[in-house]
C-alpha cells in the first residue's frame, strides 16, 4: 500500500568510475491509484543535471533517458559538464513533483603507481610484499583496474598456494624459495589507461653453514588510516617477518576481533591482512595488527572512520490544513558527517521567508 500520493521505488546512487566509462543512473516510481483517477496520466520522470537545470535529452550527445526512466551516460568525460550531482524528478500533473536523493557522478583519480625501486633481501620461508599502487583507492574503484605482475619482464606464473594478489594490486609471496629470486613490477590497466611500476629486486639469502638465529617480528607492510563509506569492503594490509615466523592477530580499540564466528564480516587475507565486509558505523575505531613470536611482540595501528549516508529518523507526513492555519512539517536525519538539510516544494528549493521558515532543519 502506498502511504503517499507519489513515491520512488528506485533512486539513483553515487557512481565513481574511470574517465571514459559509461554510467546508468536508475530511477523508478509509482503513484497511488486514487491519484491516477480522473484522467490523470501515469507519473512522469525527468532528470536534473549538475547545473541545476532539467536535462534536455533531445540533442544531448552523451545523455539519454531510457524507456524505464533511467538516465544513461555513454561516456563520462571531464570538462563536459557531465560530472556532479544528478536528481530524478517524479511528477503527476495536478498533484506535484518529488525529487530523488542526490546521486554524484565522479571520475576516479588515476591510481598513483609505485615508482620506488627496492632491493629486498629475505631468507627462504619468509614473506615478500610488493606494493603496486602508492595511494589507497576505494575498494569499489580498485576492482575497476586490472593488475598484472611481471617477473624478470615476463608475466608471473601465480603459485596460488603461496602467492596472493591483494585488491590494492599488491603482491604477497609467502614461504619464499630460491626460485622466487628476480625482479618484480606491476602493470595496471583500465580501458586506455596503462602504467608500469618501477622494478624491485628480490634476493634470497643463503643460510648454509650458519647457525640458526632468532629475530623479533619486523613489519613488511603496515595498515594505513582509511575513511570509508558504510557498506564498503575494507582491506587493512599487514605482514611481518621474524624467526620464528610471527603469528598475526587483529584488535579493535584494544580488544581481539573474533574471526571464528560463522557470521563474522572479518577475515584474514594472505599471511595477515584484514578484510572487513560490508563495514558498519559501529566498526569505526583504532585497529591494531599485532605480530608475535617467542622473541617479542610488535603492534602497528591505523584508524578507520566510517561515513554514513543520510537516513531518515523522522520523515514528514501528509497534512491537511485550513487556509491561513500555521503548519509544521517535521524532519530528522542521521548521517556522518552531519547532513545538510534542504526543503523543496514540487522539486524547487524553498527559500526561507516570513511565510516559510526552517527551524533546526
Amino acid at each position: 500500500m502506498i502511504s503517499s500520493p507519489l513515491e520512488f521505488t528506485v533512486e539513483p546512487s553515487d557512481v565513481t568510475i574511470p574517465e571514459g566509462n559509461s554510467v546508468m543512473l536508475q530511477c523508478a516510481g509509482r503513484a497511488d491509484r486514487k491519484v491516477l483517477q480522473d484522467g490523470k496520466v501515469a507519473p512522469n520522470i525527468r532528470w536534473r543535471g549538475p547545473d541545476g537545470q532539467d536535462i534536455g535529452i533531445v540533442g544531448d550527445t552523451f545523455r539519454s533517458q531510457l524507456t524505464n526512466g533511467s538516465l544513461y551516460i555513454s561516456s563520462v568525460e571531464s570538462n563536459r559538464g557531465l560530472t556532479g550531482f544528478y536528481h530524478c524528478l517524479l511528477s503527476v500533473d495536478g498533484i506535484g513533483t518529488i525529487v530523488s536523493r542526490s546521486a554524484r557522478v565522479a571520475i576516479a583519480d588515476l591510481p598513483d603507481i609505485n615508482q620506488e625501486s627496492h632491493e629486498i633481501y629475505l631468507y627462504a620461508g619468509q614473506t615478500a610484499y610488493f606494493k603496486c599502487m602508492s595511494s589507497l583507492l576505494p575498494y569499489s574503484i580498485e576492482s575497476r583496474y586490472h593488475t598484472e605482475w611481471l617477473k624478470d619482464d615476463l608475466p608471473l606464473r601465480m603459485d596460488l598456494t603461496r602467492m596472493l594478489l591483494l585488491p590494492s594490486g599488491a603482491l604477497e609471496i609467502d614461504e619464499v624459495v630460491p626460485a622466487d629470486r628476480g625482479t618484480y613490477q606491476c602493470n595496471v590497466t583500465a580501458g586506455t589507461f596503462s602504467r608500469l611500476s618501477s622494478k624491485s629486486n628480490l634476493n634470497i639469502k643463503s643460510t648454509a653453514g650458519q647457525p640458526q638465529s632468532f629475530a623479533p617480528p619486523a613489519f613488511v607492510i603496515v595498515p594505513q588510516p582509511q575513511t570509508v563509506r558504510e557498506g564498503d569492503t575494507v582491506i587493512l594490509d599487514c605482514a611481518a617477518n621474524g624467526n620464528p615466523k610471527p603469528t598475526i592477530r587483529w584488535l579493535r580499540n584494544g580488544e581481539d576481533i573474533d574471526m571464528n564466528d560463522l557470521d563474522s564480516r572479518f577475515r584474514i587475507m594472505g599471511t595477515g591482512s584484514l578484510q572487513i565486509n560490508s563495514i558498519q558505523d559501529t566498526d569505526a575505531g583504532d585497529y591494531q595488527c599485532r605480530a608475535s613470536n617467542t622473541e617479542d611482540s610488535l603492534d602497528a595501528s591505523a584508524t578507520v572512520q566510517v561515513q554514513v549516508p543520510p537516513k531518515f529518523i523522522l520523515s514528514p507526513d501528509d497534512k491537511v490544513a485550513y487556509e491561513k492555519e500555521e503548519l509544521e512539517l517535521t524532519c530528522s536525519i542521521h548521517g556522518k558527517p552531519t547532513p545538510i538539510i534542504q526543503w523543496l516544494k514540487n522539486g524547487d528549493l524553498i527559500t526561507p521567508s516570513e511565510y516559510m521558515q526552517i527551524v533546526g532543519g
Side-chain angles (χ1 to χ4, degrees), residues 11-15 23-26 101-105 229:
E11 294 188 65
S13 301
D14 292 347
V15 181
V23 164
M24 184 180 296
L25 299 177
Q26 296 185 334
R101 67 166 69 98
S102 299
R104 181 172 182 258
V105 174
R229 291 186 60 178

Side-chain angles (χ1 to χ4, degrees), residues 82-94:
L82 300 174
T83 57
F85 291 96
Y86 286 78
H87 297 87
C88 176
L89 289 83
L90 183 71
S91 59
V92 172
D93 290 342

Side-chain angles (χ1 to χ4, degrees), residues 26-245:
Q26 296 185 334
C27 183
R30 58 188 178 184
D32 192 320
R33 289 183 180 179
K34 296 178 182 179
V35 171
L36 298 181
Q37 293 176 356
D38 303 324
K40 294 186 176 68
V41 297
N44 173 63
I45 289 178
R46 67 184 194 277
W47 288 87
R48 187 166 290 168
D51 59 0
Q53 303 298 314
D54 288 359
I55 297 174
I57 300 299
V58 178
D60 194 311
T61 306
F62 296 94
R63 297 178 293 199
S64 59
Q65 186 169 325
L66 306 184
T67 55
N68 65 358
S70 298
L71 181 67
Y72 178 71
I73 307 175
S74 59
S75 178
V76 178
E77 300 178 10
S78 59
N79 303 320
R80 291 189 179 273
L82 300 174
T83 57
F85 291 96
Y86 286 78
H87 297 87
C88 176
L89 289 83
L90 183 71
S91 59
V92 172
D93 290 342
I95 297 299
T97 300
I98 58 174
V99 183
S100 72
R101 67 166 69 98
S102 299
R104 181 172 182 258
V105 174
I107 295 174
D109 293 332
L110 293 177
D112 187 10
I113 306 303
N114 182 40
Q115 296 300 328
E116 295 181 3
S117 298
H118 295 281
E119 287 287 336
I120 302 171
Y121 295 89
L122 296 175
Y123 290 108
Q126 291 190 309
T127 299
Y129 183 97
F130 299 94
K131 183 184 288 188
C132 181
M133 301 183 193
S134 299
S135 56
L136 289 171
L137 292 175
Y139 185 85
S140 59
I141 303 302
E142 288 173 346
S143 62
R144 295 178 181 270
Y145 292 95
H146 174 70
T147 302
E148 180 184 38
W149 277 90
L150 308 176
K151 180 190 175 194
D152 297 330
D153 298 322
L154 296 174
L156 173 66
R157 296 183 62 181
M158 294 287 289
D159 178 355
L160 299 181
T161 63
R162 300 184 302 115
M163 299 179 180
L164 175 67
L165 181 61
L166 292 161
S168 63
L171 174 67
E172 183 180 278
I173 306 177
D174 192 23
E175 302 285 346
V176 295
V177 296
D180 294 326
R181 182 185 294 110
T183 59
Y184 291 79
Q185 69 179 149
C186 69
N187 183 31
V188 179
T189 57
T192 59
F193 172 82
S194 179
R195 190 170 297 172
L196 281 167
S197 72
S198 60
K199 294 181 179 180
S200 289
N201 195 35
L202 175 60
N203 303 274
I204 307 298
K205 296 187 287 187
S206 173
T207 57
Q210 299 180 18
Q212 184 179 18
S213 60
F214 296 97
F219 284 113
V220 178
I221 187 70
V222 296
Q224 299 297 312
Q226 296 190 45
T227 299
V228 299
R229 291 186 60 178
E230 187 178 46
D232 283 354
T233 297
V234 177
I235 309 290
L236 295 171
D237 289 346
C238 189
N241 282 321
N243 190 24
K245 187 174 183 177

